[in-house]
Amino acid sequence: MPSRYDDVMSLSVRRGFLWPAVDLYGGSAGFYDYGHLGARLKRKWEDLWTGYFLGLGDNYYLIDTTTILPEVSLKASGHVDHFTDILVTCTKCKESFRGDHLIEAVTHEEAEGLTTAEVDAKIVELKIRCPKCKGELGPSRPFNMMFPVGVGPLGKDRAYLRPETAQGAFLNFKREFEALRRRLPLGLAIVGRAYRNEISPRQGVYRMREFLQAELQIFFDPATFGAQLPIDSVRDERLRVAMAGEKHEPIATDRTTSDLIRGGIPGFYVYHMALVQRFYLDRLRVPRERFRFAELDERERAFYHKVHFDIQVRQDSLGGFREVGGVHYRTDHDISGHAKASGKDLSVPVADRKVVPHVLELSFGVDRNVWALLDLDYELAGERAVLHLPPALAPVDVGVFPLLSKAGLPERAEALYRDLRPGFDAFYDETGSIGKRYARMDEIGTPFCVTVDHATLEDGTVTLRERDTSGQVRVPGTSVAAILRDLIDARRDFRSIGSAVARP
Amino acid sequence: MPSRYDDVMSLSVRRGFLWPAVDLYGGSAGFYDYGHLGARLKRKWEDLWTGYFLGLGDNYYLIDTTTILPEVSLKASGHVDHFTDILVTCTKCKESFRGDHLIEAVTHEEAEGLTTAEVDAKIVELKIRCPKCKGELGPSRPFNMMFPVGVGPLGKDRAYLRPETAQGAFLNFKREFEALRRRLPLGLAIVGRAYRNEISPRQGVYRMREFLQAELQIFFDPATFGAQLPIDSVRDERLRVAMAGEKHEPIATDRTTSDLIRGGIPGFYVYHMALVQRFYLDRLRVPRERFRFAELDERERAFYHKVHFDIQVRQDSLGGFREVGGVHYRTDHDISGHAKASGKDLSVPVADRKVVPHVLELSFGVDRNVWALLDLDYELAGERAVLHLPPALAPVDVGVFPLLSKAGLPERAEALYRDLRPGFDAFYDETGSIGKRYARMDEIGTPFCVTVDHATLEDGTVTLRERDTSGQVRVPGTSVAAILRDLIDARRDFRSIGSAVARP
């Protein structure tokens, strides 16, 4: 991994964002745990995601479904037969590798989607040997990435850990359609764990065996969906896009929504691309040049994805643009598949027609997004380390300090801390110099600090400090809560505060 | 199950709280999915729990850890060798049963903790035969309740789905102790899934194979913990308690905290019992007579639990007092066990001593708590069905209706709905009579409704209606948000609103 990876992971471990799981026993490859700061950052990301994406429709809801699914349901979805990677095992040291990764390491070109025969041919052609011991590689074979689980006292009810959260939405669609009074579009979102038995999880947080997904499945009537959406509201918005065949870095071109629609991508799809881009640029504050949609070609995408763009963020810790999510037009593949396998009618009445809903999936890897933010926002400049997280996502909203730990200042600061604590993630600290305390807050991304000093005892004002600029203003202690609320919710800019309090 | 169970489950399925998972394929025994209302109720319960219990200390935090744990860590915790139930299989129909349940069904007395030899003897003595086919039962044997998972391309890295969230806290204690600047007590909470391969999950939502736990592990120095807590603040508080040996219904007696401490229960333990009881009576509004702590005797509790009371709620749907959580004094069992197995020193410095922290565990079953609330709060009185959830937990905070769907009323009501939506879980509805709309909201526990009528167009006032009393008052439309906030956060009582708006 690039050295940037180590910098970000070192911050993560030291301060409590995340680290390899079960490291007490030497670690567990492909598994990571979130510490107290990471858990809060992740939770805030999930809340921001939920608020934004459920807000796209007035019939969009969060549900929560089981992670263990019986085989029959995953047979119907195609995962039992097709959710495979190609496995190549060394004949000498018995280490296993993904066939496509072995080839990509030599050619530096995408090799996903090759057949076993093609992988075997490439290994011969390129003279690839075991990366670990240089031994001869055995023949490739398909390997199902789901974890099997035996349920019941004899373990005879075959099941799997879900490989994606999406199936929970498909399995519950009809029930929710009835409970929600039969309206389309209907959105069902799930934020939860999914599991893939990755052959070689050697890319840190990027390729995990247990991971978190946030997915919204929008069920719609293809005859009317486009007309139901305010597509005009994103007209001529410029999207960052790399089409299939032009994905290599640093390429991403601006294309307007109208261009994309003229190029044959459905209007409803382009509309959601625009809203996803706004989420990344406006809410997560990802720099424009580090964001793009990358189209997958027919070979790379699942056969039932009619249109598929990855959502990618360029991260120095991972060596370039990497996937953090995707927008997938799944057509009626899922509902029709479950209707056929279950023998139930899953079509729904719309006016006087029977409609098998189509699905647009907005899919996000939560861990990948959290990591991308840590990568993009962590600035190491000489002595100073600052994590420039958007204020709404910072694990700690505000640090509260007495300038000195004497003369009644700690009591006053603690009182302010207790006042702020119900409404904010506040942190109280009186140890070390004030400069050290600010530095500790900067490093974990705390956007604001409030300091109580001698003047506070006289006139009740406190110092309010902003993380990114180190700028400071004096404000009345009684106004701190209201000012913080406005700053965190981005209703107000820090630079406006100084003059606002200059006139009492 | 009692008929009350069916009433509550029928509401749950019809309106979208919860239902058996994967029912499209005939269901999956021991697994339940949450619909859109249940997911929101559960999320609010989790938020309330997190706010309350993390608030018990200023060094208490949420973390999030993996659900798949390698065998070595669960060997160290004792789960690989001891986390077993006793399994009895019918020689004729091959159906399997829990040995203790077979005996309890006959004796109506607790049979947990019997050995296989004792179960075999009881089966002979009581002439118990297969409950399903009346065939002869085979010999009993221990059955490990964890789900094994094979990790890696050959599945050779043996692991299990975690049987409790607690292990994640123990495994990460030392890392967090360092990241959090070495202070005790340190609290690590996890809200997440746990898994147990129950032999016969035939008790509905109560005994699930995949379930949600909310657990707080408090790591403390036994020499000082009692003195660090404000135990006096719960002095003489009367707790509902059934001691070991007197647990059969309807027994639960009031005992003061001082009595319990005099009886030999540690002060820190009794202090936390009092705070748990306040959570149930004040926050969840469980009626006092339906709440109790039930002590487990030596045979019932895990050998490493020095003191163990179950938290129980009496539910008609489950036939009486049933466990919804527990308070467990685990001593240094966990940290010492992992220190020994990992060969690492997990003691921590406190002043000039080395301390192996003790653990107090506050453990809650999230699904069991959600179900208990549905059971307690669902009132079916003739035609009227009302779910009396505490306002802070209701999935929908407020229904917003136009009295009629004409004359500009819908536009005005929709504008109010849009204003309220960012801060509240609001629901807009204009279909059916106003009485029907109120009834639909009552049934899912919506505590307040706001109705726009002709007077609104004239003077801007709206009708605010309360669920439990059906009481109505007129308030200015512009005050609705502030009034709702106060009512939901219980800063104000609905009966106070009428007079407050009578004087303009």
Side-chain angles (χ1 to χ4, degrees):
Chain A
M1 314 294 291
S3 71
R4 175 70 180 167
Y5 185 89
D6 296 331
D7 289 343
V8 179
M9 187 50 91
S10 159
L11 167 78
S12 293
V13 173
R14 197 172 61 251
R15 299 305 306 270
F17 284 98
L18 56 85
W19 44 60
V22 200
D23 56 355
L24 199 58
Y25 292 98
S28 178
F31 296 90
Y32 288 81
D33 282 347
Y34 284 90
H36 68 287
L37 292 181
R40 226 186 273 171
L41 169 57
K42 179 166 70 65
R43 184 77 175 214
K44 288 188 177 185
W45 189 94
E46 289 172 8
D47 287 345
L48 190 75
W49 182 89
T50 304
Y52 185 88
F53 287 99
L54 294 192
L56 298 189
D58 70 347
N59 196 33
Y60 290 9
Y61 295 92
L62 209 54
I63 62 173
D64 196 11
T65 67
T66 58
T67 58
I68 295 180
L69 288 175
E71 182 163 51
V72 58
S73 61
L74 292 162
K75 183 90 185 163
S77 68
H79 286 90
V80 171
D81 296 322
H82 302 299
F83 195 65
T84 52
D85 270 346
I86 290 179
L87 177 70
V88 178
T89 303
C90 172
T91 58
K92 200 171 142 205
C93 74
K94 310 296 175 202
E95 184 82 8
S96 293
F97 306 92
R98 264 180 68 169
D100 54 344
H101 288 179
L102 288 171
I103 295 163
E104 284 169 12
V106 176
T107 63
H108 302 287
E109 274 171 33
E110 197 93 42
E112 218 176 321
L114 297 183
T115 64
T116 50
E118 287 166 333
V119 167
D120 287 339
K122 280 276 179 196
I123 285 175
V124 171
E125 178 197 331
L126 300 166
K127 300 194 176 63
I128 300 174
R129 299 185 72 87
C130 172
K132 201 177 155 198
C133 79
K134 301 292 162 202
E136 196 178 339
L137 295 168
S140 67
R141 59 189 172 90
F143 169 71
N144 195 299
M145 291 164 69
M146 291 195 295
F147 287 104
V149 175
V151 175
L154 308 170
K156 67 185 176 186
D157 297 334
R158 206 171 162 78
Y160 298 91
L161 292 175
R162 66 182 175 195
E164 57 175 13
T165 59
Q167 293 303 321
F170 306 142
L171 291 168
N172 284 291
F173 162 71
K174 195 70 184 277
R175 273 223 183 282
E176 283 291 348
F177 183 77
E178 295 299 331
L180 286 163
R181 299 160 70 190
R182 307 179 159 212
R183 289 194 297 144
L184 292 183
L186 166 64
L188 296 179
I190 297 176
V191 178
R193 285 173 146 75
Y195 301 82
R196 294 181 188 176
N197 194 3
E198 295 284 351
I199 293 170
S200 49
R202 298 197 186 86
Q203 298 176 78
V205 176
Y206 186 70
R207 200 167 294 283
M208 285 156 72
R209 284 170 166 157
E210 173 174 348
F211 54 99
L212 279 151
Q213 287 190 315
E215 296 193 312
L216 170 64
Q217 312 296 325
I218 304 171
F219 299 86
F220 63 88
D221 174 0
T224 57
F225 193 36
Q228 288 172 314
L229 297 170
I231 296 181
D232 257 6
S233 66
V234 302
R235 182 150 50 161
D236 294 330
E237 204 152 305
R238 304 181 74 77
L239 305 184
R240 301 284 299 168
V241 176
M243 302 305 285
E246 55 168 51
K247 275 182 309 181
H248 291 291
E249 305 193 21
I251 289 172
T253 21
D254 273 15
R255 299 194 183 228
T256 66
T257 50
S258 319
D259 278 351
L260 291 166
I261 292 170
R262 267 195 301 274
I265 303 174
F268 71 81
Y269 188 98
V270 173
Y271 170 76
H272 285 91
M273 287 174 83
L275 292 173
V276 166
Q277 178 172 301
R278 284 186 196 175
F279 179 69
Y280 277 89
L281 304 196
D282 303 345
R283 301 300 177 97
L284 302 183
R285 297 203 195 166
V286 171
R288 194 175 171 82
E289 70 279 6
R290 286 186 174 268
F291 177 86
R292 74 177 185 189
F293 292 102
E295 190 188 30
L296 266 58
D297 64 28
E298 255 178 87
R299 178 149 210 155
E300 294 162 335
R301 69 182 188 239
F303 70 92
Y304 50 84
H305 285 175
K306 200 165 169 188
V307 191
H308 180 149
F309 282 82
D310 276 352
I311 304 163
Q312 298 187 337
V313 171
R314 186 152 61 84
Q315 300 161 65
D316 296 342
S317 66
L318 299 174
F321 274 111
R322 299 304 289 269
E323 179 188 356
V324 293
V327 181
H328 315 136
Y329 177 22
R330 301 176 70 123
T331 71
D332 67 345
H333 170 76
D334 306 289
I335 298 296
S336 291
H338 284 299
K340 196 171 158 209
S342 69
K344 307 238 167 83
D345 180 7
L346 298 182
S347 69
V348 299
V350 173
D352 54 352
R353 293 176 303 131
K354 285 282 233 177
V355 172
V356 178
H358 282 215
V359 171
L360 178 67
E361 171 179 81
L362 308 183
S363 173
F364 301 79
V366 179
D367 317 281
R368 288 179 173 185
N369 275 275
V370 167
W371 181 264
L373 287 175
L374 291 174
D375 175 302
L376 295 187
D377 290 338
Y378 187 44
E379 184 193 4
L380 266 170
E383 288 290 283
R384 196 168 176 232
V386 185
L387 187 62
H388 300 278
L389 291 172
L393 291 179
V396 177
D397 294 319
V398 58
V400 182
F401 311 138
L403 182 64
L404 304 169
S405 57
K406 59 181 181 185
L409 299 184
E411 293 73 10
R412 189 69 179 254
E414 277 192 64
L416 180 61
Y417 165 72
R418 278 194 304 273
D419 285 352
L420 292 175
R421 218 184 157 195
F424 298 92
D425 289 312
F427 178 76
Y428 177 82
D429 191 4
E430 60 176 74
T431 60
S433 73
I434 190 74
K436 269 228 173 91
R437 282 179 267 165
Y438 286 148
R440 282 199 288 257
M441 289 293 104
D442 287 345
E443 195 186 30
I444 63 169
T446 306
F448 306 104
C449 292
V450 174
T451 303
V452 163
D453 57 22
H454 293 294
T456 311
L457 303 184
E458 286 159 27
D459 64 7
T461 62
V462 296
T463 301
L464 178 65
R465 175 184 178 274
E466 198 259 352
R467 175 195 65 200
D468 294 340
T469 58
S470 306
Q472 303 192 5
V473 293
R474 279 202 89 83
V475 302
T478 49
S479 316
V480 166
I483 293 173
L484 284 176
R485 190 77 278 147
D486 283 354
L487 288 171
I488 291 168
D489 295 347
R491 283 193 296 262
R492 207 164 153 187
D493 186 90
F494 184 75
R495 283 161 300 185
S496 76
I497 305 293
S499 59
V501 296
R503 273 183 289 275
Chain B
M1 312 294 292
S3 72
R4 175 70 181 167
Y5 186 90
D6 296 334
D7 289 343
V8 178
M9 187 51 92
S10 158
L11 166 78
S12 292
V13 173
R14 195 172 64 250
R15 298 306 305 270
F17 284 99
L18 56 85
W19 43 59
V22 200
D23 57 355
L24 198 57
Y25 293 98
S28 178
F31 296 91
Y32 288 80
D33 282 348
Y34 285 90
H36 67 289
L37 292 181
R40 228 188 268 170
L41 170 57
K42 180 167 68 67
R43 184 78 175 213
K44 288 189 179 187
W45 189 94
E46 290 172 5
D47 287 345
L48 192 74
W49 183 89
T50 304
Y52 184 86
F53 286 98
L54 294 192
L56 298 190
D58 70 348
N59 196 33
Y60 290 9
Y61 295 92
L62 210 54
I63 62 173
D64 196 11
T65 66
T66 57
T67 58
I68 295 181
L69 288 175
E71 181 164 51
V72 60
S73 62
L74 292 161
K75 183 91 184 162
S77 69
H79 286 90
V80 171
D81 296 323
H82 302 300
F83 196 64
T84 52
D85 271 345
I86 290 179
L87 178 70
V88 179
T89 304
C90 172
T91 57
K92 199 170 143 205
C93 75
K94 309 297 174 202
E95 185 81 7
S96 294
F97 306 92
R98 264 180 68 168
D100 54 343
H101 289 180
L102 287 171
I103 296 166
E104 284 169 13
V106 176
T107 63
H108 301 288
E109 273 169 35
E110 198 93 39
E112 219 177 321
L114 296 183
T115 63
T116 49
E118 289 167 332
V119 167
D120 288 339
K122 281 275 179 198
I123 286 176
V124 171
E125 178 196 329
L126 299 167
K127 300 192 176 67
I128 301 173
R129 298 185 71 87
C130 173
K132 202 177 154 196
C133 79
K134 301 291 163 206
E136 194 179 340
L137 295 167
S140 68
R141 58 187 173 91
F143 169 71
N144 196 298
M145 293 164 67
M146 292 194 294
F147 288 104
V149 175
V151 174
L154 309 169
K156 68 184 172 183
D157 297 333
R158 205 168 165 81
Y160 297 91
L161 292 174
R162 65 181 177 197
E164 58 176 9
T165 59
Q167 292 302 323
F170 306 141
L171 291 168
N172 284 290
F173 161 71
K174 196 68 183 277
R175 271 219 184 285
E176 282 292 346
F177 183 76
E178 295 298 332
L180 285 164
R181 298 161 73 191
R182 307 180 158 211
R183 289 194 298 144
L184 292 183
L186 166 64
L188 296 179
I190 298 175
V191 178
R193 285 174 147 75
Y195 302 82
R196 295 182 188 175
N197 194 3
E198 294 285 351
I199 293 171
S200 49
R202 300 199 184 85
Q203 299 176 77
V205 175
Y206 186 71
R207 201 166 293 282
M208 286 156 70
R209 285 172 164 154
E210 173 174 348
F211 54 100
L212 279 151
Q213 287 189 315
E215 295 193 313
L216 170 63
Q217 311 297 324
I218 304 172
F219 299 86
F220 64 88
D221 173 0
T224 58
F225 192 36
Q228 287 172 315
L229 297 169
I231 296 181
D232 258 7
S233 66
V234 302
R235 182 150 49 160
D236 294 329
E237 204 152 307
R238 302 183 75 77
L239 305 184
R240 301 285 296 170
V241 176
M243 303 304 286
E246 55 168 53
K247 276 181 310 182
H248 290 292
E249 307 193 19
I251 290 173
T253 21
D254 273 15
R255 297 194 185 227
T256 66
T257 50
S258 319
D259 277 350
L260 292 166
I261 292 171
R262 268 196 300 274
I265 303 173
F268 72 81
Y269 188 99
V270 173
Y271 171 76
H272 285 91
M273 288 174 83
L275 292 172
V276 166
Q277 179 172 301
R278 284 187 196 174
F279 179 69
Y280 276 89
L281 303 195
D282 303 345
R283 302 300 176 96
L284 301 183
R285 296 202 195 168
V286 171
R288 193 175 172 83
E289 70 280 6
R290 285 186 175 267
F291 178 85
R292 75 176 184 189
F293 292 102
E295 190 189 29
L296 266 59
D297 65 29
E298 255 178 86
R299 177 149 210 154
E300 295 163 334
R301 68 182 189 241
F303 71 92
Y304 50 84
H305 284 176
K306 199 164 166 189
V307 191
H308 180 149
F309 283 82
D310 276 353
I311 304 163
Q312 298 188 338
V313 172
R314 186 151 62 84
Q315 300 162 64
D316 297 341
S317 66
L318 298 174
F321 273 112
R322 299 304 290 267
E323 178 189 356
V324 294
V327 181
H328 314 136
Y329 177 23
R330 301 176 69 123
T331 70
D332 66 345
H333 170 76
D334 307 288
I335 297 296
S336 291
H338 284 299
K340 196 172 159 207
S342 69
K344 305 238 167 86
D345 179 8
L346 298 182
S347 69
V348 300
V350 173
D352 54 351
R353 293 177 301 131
K354 286 282 233 176
V355 172
V356 178
H358 282 215
V359 171
L360 177 67
E361 172 179 83
L362 307 183
S363 173
F364 300 79
V366 179
D367 318 281
R368 289 179 172 185
N369 274 275
V370 166
W371 180 264
L373 287 175
L374 291 174
D375 175 302
L376 295 189
D377 290 338
Y378 187 45
E379 184 193 4
L380 267 169
E383 289 290 282
R384 196 168 177 232
V386 185
L387 188 62
H388 300 278
L389 292 172
L393 291 179
V396 178
D397 295 318
V398 58
V400 182
F401 311 138
L403 183 65
L404 304 168
S405 57
K406 59 181 181 183
L409 299 183
E411 292 74 9
R412 188 69 179 251
E414 277 194 65
L416 181 62
Y417 165 72
R418 277 194 305 273
D419 285 351
L420 291 175
R421 218 185 157 196
F424 298 91
D425 289 313
F427 178 77
Y428 177 82
D429 191 6
E430 59 176 74
T431 59
S433 74
I434 190 73
K436 270 231 172 89
R437 283 178 267 164
Y438 286 148
R440 281 200 288 258
M441 289 292 104
D442 287 343
E443 195 187 28
I444 62 167
T446 306
F448 306 104
C449 291
V450 174
T451 303
V452 163
D453 57 23
H454 293 294
T456 311
L457 304 182
E458 285 159 30
D459 65 8
T461 62
V462 297
T463 299
L464 178 66
R465 174 184 178 276
E466 198 261 352
R467 174 196 66 200
D468 296 339
T469 58
S470 305
Q472 302 194 4
V473 292
R474 280 203 87 82
V475 301
T478 49
S479 316
V480 166
I483 293 173
L484 284 175
R485 190 75 281 147
D486 283 353
L487 289 171
I488 291 167
D489 295 346
R491 282 192 297 261
R492 211 165 149 183
D493 185 90
F494 183 76
R495 284 161 299 183
S496 76
I497 307 292
S499 59
V501 299
R503 274 181 290 276

